[in-house]
Amino acid sequence: MLRASVIVFPGSNCDRDVKVALEKITGFPVNMVWHGDASVPASDLIVLPGGFSYGDYLRCGAMAAHSPIMRDVIAKAKAGTPVLGICNGFQVLCESGLLPGVLMRNASLKFICRDVTLRVDNDSSFFTRCYRKGEIVRMPVAHAEGNYFADADTLDRLEGEGRVVFRYCDENGEANEAGNPNGAQRNIAGICDASGRVVGLMPHPERLFERALGGTGGRRMFESALLAAVEPMV
Amino acid sequence: MKARIRITLKNGVLDPQGKAIQNALSALGITGVDDVRQGKYIEVQLANTSEEQARETVERMCRDLLANSVIENYAYELAP
């Protein structure tokens, strides 16, 4: 049994895609939880989906980070429940303080919607255990604010602790400027917290999880979550 | 009492919107512009309280929601 919950904010638009991906891959039904609720039902994992919560007012994710449900999401994350934030969900995780840094306006100022290549830099987080370190995978991005920023000390700490999960890269796996779609510092596409249970990324794994969608680059993020049901993280 | 709050990007944080504004000014033939940094201006009408209380409230709203301390600074003034 795997109990997954997807938080639905006003303006979320990838919530149902995540639900479909999780249900098809894990075989278990997924709870949809409204942002105004006071608590998340007992869950083995929580997903904050992509979209434009609260219309991206003030800053992306800033309002959602203070919505009633987030108090319980933060409490559960701190108590060890794995949380995955995708795109707007990553922005919410940063705004809520569960992950460091912030997602700024793309350096090009343009909304970018295309597939990117990512290098897996951490294959031990809760959501990336089914990948191999150094592997190159393809996932789509669709954002105007995906330009990861943190001060140099924070970036050094993230790298030193192996908490950069995915980096934008070119087809050879080089995390260089050519492979960086949005200006993110050090090509960071996704990071995790110190426990490896809270993961945020800008690309959309749920949009490429089966062949009918054109690729399977994101599939193993959900398979990694399923793996925990039989082989818990230490 | 009214709080006039200005939120600006910290020094060293890239501001692509500011750059785009600078380029647009240049395209309009407006010269002599060395740099442009953009930010937010927010007015908050506060219920009648002491100035001390108002400062405490505004500090808290800036810290907890209006500004993101990773990239932004805030400043404000109170007006009757």
Side-chain angles (χ1 to χ4, degrees), chain A residues 21-137:
Chain A
L22 276 167
E23 289 185 343
K24 277 195 166 183
I25 292 167
T26 70
F28 296 109
V30 169
N31 292 317
M32 303 302 274
V33 183
W34 184 235
H35 75 113
D37 291 357
S39 66
V40 185
S43 300
D44 299 310
L45 71 108
I46 298 170
V47 181
L48 306 182
F52 300 85
S53 58
Y54 296 84
D56 279 349
Y57 291 169
L58 193 64
R59 295 178 308 276
C60 301
M63 312 294 242
H66 294 281
S67 67
I69 197 69
M70 282 307 293
R71 257 176 250 135
D72 194 43
V73 171
I74 292 167
K76 283 191 160 69
K78 287 185 172 164
T81 301
V83 179
L84 175 65
I86 301 169
C87 196
N88 189 222
F90 184 18
Q91 295 163 342
V92 175
L93 286 176
C94 288
E95 281 285 344
S96 67
L98 283 174
L99 292 175
V102 61
L103 283 313
M104 298 189 59
R105 184 67 63 94
N106 294 341
S108 66
L109 289 174
K110 292 194 168 73
F111 189 95
I112 303 166
C113 184
R114 64 174 170 86
D115 288 359
V116 296
T117 43
L118 302 170
R119 190 180 73 209
V120 179
D121 273 17
N122 173 325
D123 59 4
S124 58
S125 86
F126 185 87
F127 294 99
T128 53
R129 289 200 292 162
C130 290
Y131 292 94
R132 289 183 314 279
K133 196 169 174 176
E135 194 179 344
I136 301 169
V137 294

Side-chain angles (χ1 to χ4, degrees), chain B residues 31-64:
Chain B
T31 55
V33 178
D34 280 343
D35 192 23
V36 178
R37 307 275 288 168
Q38 53 81 49
K40 293 191 186 87
Y41 173 74
I42 301 174
E43 273 189 3
V44 178
Q45 189 71 47
L46 298 161
N48 282 333
T49 60
S50 67
E51 185 175 329
E52 193 191 348
Q53 184 75 51
R55 284 193 184 280
E56 202 175 296
T57 307
V58 174
E59 282 286 344
R60 191 169 159 236
M61 65 176 77
C62 288
R63 233 178 20 241
D64 290 354

Side-chain angles (χ1 to χ4, degrees), chain A residues 129-221:
Chain A
R129 289 200 292 162
C130 290
Y131 292 94
R132 289 183 314 279
K133 196 169 174 176
E135 194 179 344
I136 301 169
V137 294
R138 181 168 61 92
M139 286 187 218
V141 293
H143 61 246
E145 284 89 2
N147 181 351
Y148 184 77
F149 180 90
D151 60 51
D153 287 348
T154 304
L155 293 169
D156 290 343
R157 201 178 72 241
L158 286 171
E159 291 186 328
E161 295 174 358
R163 288 168 54 191
V164 176
V165 174
F166 292 111
R167 272 184 227 262
Y168 304 109
C169 67
D170 67 12
E171 64 274 22
N172 301 316
E174 293 300 322
N176 53 22
E177 207 178 319
N180 187 340
N182 54 26
Q185 302 256 303
R186 304 189 193 179
N187 282 49
I188 290 173
I191 56 172
C192 65
D193 73 343
S195 76
R197 285 179 166 81
V198 179
V199 174
L201 78 166
M202 286 314 296
H204 285 273
E206 78 283 11
R207 293 193 187 177
L208 276 186
F209 78 90
E210 63 181 4
R211 286 215 188 99
L213 294 173
T216 56
R219 183 176 184 91
R220 279 175 285 161
M221 293 203 76

